[in-house]
Amino acid sequence: MHPKQRLENHYLEQRRVQFDFSNTPEHWIYDNPFATHLINAVHLILPVGELWMCRSFNEALPYVKDEKLSADVKGFVHQEAHHASAHKIAQGYLRHYDYDIDQFLVSLDNIFKQIDAAPFGFTLSSPLAYRWLTIRIGIAAAAEHFTTMLGTWCLEDQPWQNNTADKMMSDLMTWHLAEEVEHRSVAFDLYMYLCGEENKTFAYLQRQMIMLAIAPLFTFAIYHCFKKLAQQDAQARHYQNYGLLRSLALTAIENARSKQVPSFFAMISSLRHWVKPNYHPFYEGDTNKALQVLNHSPAVKALTKLRAC
């Protein structure tokens, strides 16, 4: 764990916020089907991925003897579990507008089940099971690097403010991404802890290999989910003819024009930090800024008021 995190003495809490999308328009980022479907892609891919991380972290928890890290892992699991629940509610918003997503979600779930404790159905010996656990936590750390970059972009650019987007969906996305910044270090700290202080070089090389796989898979997954949604929207069907590279280029154009989506190239550029031997997520975001945004979230305010009653 980074020394400055101990000085922060910050403990993660689960904010069981609630959202109602019954009045959310189909294009919740107003007049921008491209941005809407690109951001909506997270409703499809994140819940199953976040629940997979929860299972992996719970499996790792018995190995953690550090009290602060143990508390952080538990807080991380609680937050990610509620993220998954909130995005599952948002999936209902997509079904309301007749998007066919259920078969796709089943396929995603089956993929993640193949990389659980018994990968592809194989039962591993104890040493191999532990090594596979460190790899799975490394996968989570690589994914959290990208969600941290997304969260930092969201906190800095405030992409859906000034009446440019539906307030309820904007609140969901902003709350989620702010919590991603808040707990940005947990997966990395857990990965390094499981690898062991004496195995720093191996841990470094392994996480680089993991990122070589995760970066293209993460990119393709978001692109595939975006295409799945765009193909079912009459106002966005021309995007179904966009290949991967053209779609990625459009994120940079749209980011420069409206700032309503992150630039893919800025995300990839962030990997220059990941490859450094002294990389730590602590430096990739601002906890205080995340907490300030969370304290101004309408859903968090409503929860605080409910608790006060």
Side-chain angles (χ1 to χ4, degrees):
M1 182 176 296
H2 196 278
K4 288 187 178 180
Q5 286 175 261
R6 292 194 180 277
L7 292 177
E8 279 188 327
N9 198 31
H10 175 65
Y11 285 83
L12 302 172
E13 65 169 304
Q14 185 186 48
R15 302 171 182 88
R16 298 183 65 85
V17 290
Q18 302 296 320
F19 299 97
D20 178 6
F21 302 114
S22 57
N23 295 317
T24 297
E26 181 177 4
H27 299 136
W28 66 267
I29 301 177
Y30 302 144
D31 303 317
N32 198 332
F34 174 80
T36 294
H37 292 309
L38 187 69
I39 303 300
N40 276 350
V42 305
H43 298 320
L44 302 185
I45 195 169
L46 287 191
V48 64
E50 286 167 330
L51 292 176
W52 175 85
M53 283 195 287
C54 290
R55 295 194 298 271
S56 299
F57 277 51
N58 281 329
E59 187 181 335
L61 196 55
Y63 295 102
V64 180
K65 306 307 177 187
D66 182 290
E67 289 186 8
K68 179 61 169 68
L69 180 57
S70 178
D72 284 346
V73 169
K74 292 174 183 176
F76 178 97
V77 168
H78 291 154
Q79 287 190 345
E80 291 290 359
H82 198 60
H83 293 172
S85 296
H87 285 288
K88 283 187 175 182
I89 294 172
Q91 289 172 1
Y93 136 82
L94 291 171
R95 293 187 186 95
H96 172 74
Y97 287 105
D98 296 324
Y99 286 90
D100 181 9
I101 60 174
D102 290 321
Q103 187 173 353
F104 182 71
L105 293 175
V106 170
S107 298
L108 277 177
D109 188 50
N110 288 334
I111 290 171
F112 275 93
K113 284 179 178 176
Q114 295 304 311
I115 53 172
D116 260 333
F120 305 102
F122 291 103
T123 300
L124 303 178
S125 65
S126 184
L128 283 178
Y130 185 84
R131 179 56 57 200
W132 174 237
L133 177 61
T134 68
I135 292 172
R136 282 184 286 147
I137 301 302
I139 292 171
E144 287 290 300
H145 172 79
F146 287 119
T147 56
T148 297
M149 294 303 100
L150 287 170
T152 300
W153 161 76
C154 179
L155 299 186
E156 291 179 354
D157 285 10
Q158 299 184 353
W160 310 301
Q161 306 303 315
N162 302 319
N163 297 317
T164 61
D166 176 71
K167 290 182 179 179
M168 188 67 68
M169 191 66 78
S170 174
D171 192 25
L172 162 66
M173 297 305 305
T174 303
W175 155 77
H176 181 167
L177 291 173
E179 287 198 344
E180 291 295 333
V181 172
E182 182 189 19
H183 69 221
R184 65 192 179 278
S185 298
V186 179
F188 185 85
D189 285 339
L190 179 59
Y191 169 75
M192 294 302 294
Y193 182 91
L194 293 176
C195 287
E197 187 69 24
E198 70 282 5
N199 294 318
K200 283 188 175 181
T201 300
F202 176 80
Y204 171 79
L205 294 174
Q206 181 173 258
R207 71 178 173 86
Q208 300 311 320
M209 295 299 293
I210 289 171
M211 184 58 85
L212 279 174
I214 293 304
L217 285 173
F218 184 84
T219 301
F220 182 76
I222 293 295
Y223 166 74
H224 189 61
C225 291
F226 160 74
K227 290 269 284 190
K228 178 73 176 176
L229 296 172
Q231 288 168 356
Q232 300 180 66
D233 179 3
Q235 296 185 48
R237 279 187 187 146
H238 58 285
Y239 294 123
Q240 68 181 304
N241 298 318
Y242 280 35
L244 176 62
L245 293 180
R246 189 178 181 186
S247 298
L248 296 178
L250 190 54
T251 65
I253 296 170
E254 189 61 42
N255 177 267
R257 185 185 73 83
S258 69
K259 295 190 180 297
Q260 291 179 328
V261 299
S263 167
F264 165 77
F265 300 105
M267 295 286 294
I268 292 302
S269 176
S270 74
L271 292 177
R272 70 188 187 278
H273 303 296
W274 177 269
V275 299
K276 294 178 180 179
N278 63 346
Y279 165 84
H280 196 280
F282 178 84
Y283 295 109
E284 303 300 313
D286 187 332
T287 303
N288 288 328
K289 191 166 189 176
L291 294 176
Q292 289 173 9
V293 169
L294 286 167
N295 288 336
H296 286 88
S297 160
V300 174
K301 284 183 177 179
L303 178 66
T304 303
K305 185 181 292 186
L306 184 64
R307 286 174 175 172
C309 298

